[in-house]
Amino acid sequence: MKFVFADSLDLVDPSFDFETEERSPTRIRHRDDRYPHELFSHPPYDGILVSKAIVDGIGGGGAGRYTLAQRQRLFREGVRAFFRIKDSPLFTVGDCGAFTYVKE
């Protein structure tokens, strides 16, 4: 059985100070933050699931969790570069995100 991490832009800020509850003032989220597979010597999952509904939102209105810049970078660079897994054994899979718009 394989475990797949469903992406929803869950990142860890390594600069976060838990005592003061402050972040680095120069932090840029996607550049400086890390995915779980970047923090462990062995990734805690076998692959990453990317949902169209999370990336694009529903109805083409851009109401997904990704900003326009993030969507464009994902499309331009590809999923493996976007998630920084180019040389990783992790696999990727996509879905339409039907549960997001099940009542539409």
Side-chain angles (χ1 to χ4, degrees):
M1 181 180 302
K2 302 283 186 182
F3 178 70
V4 181
F5 179 70
D7 168 56
S8 61
L9 294 178
D10 293 323
L11 297 162
V12 177
D13 177 1
S15 73
F16 187 77
D17 184 336
F18 286 93
E19 291 182 15
T20 62
E21 295 193 18
E22 294 179 353
R23 302 179 187 283
S24 168
T26 60
R27 170 183 172 244
I28 296 176
R29 186 168 188 225
H30 193 78
R31 181 195 68 196
D32 299 326
D33 290 5
R34 299 288 171 246
Y35 290 101
H37 58 267
E38 295 178 297
L39 298 174
F40 295 96
S41 57
H42 299 289
Y45 38 80
D46 300 298
I48 299 174
L49 169 72
V50 182
S51 175
K52 181 174 178 8
I54 296 292
V55 175
D56 289 336
I58 56 175
R65 290 192 178 185
Y66 281 49
T67 65
L68 177 60
Q70 288 169 324
R71 285 196 312 268
Q72 289 176 340
R73 188 163 44 83
L74 174 66
F75 298 148
R76 182 179 60 249
E77 295 179 356
V79 69
R80 296 194 66 81
F82 185 86
F83 288 105
R84 300 189 288 259
I85 59 171
K86 280 187 170 185
D87 299 322
S88 168
L90 293 173
F91 65 86
T92 60
V93 63
D95 78 352
C96 65
F99 284 108
T100 305
Y101 57 87
V102 69
K103 294 183 180 181
E104 294 292 316

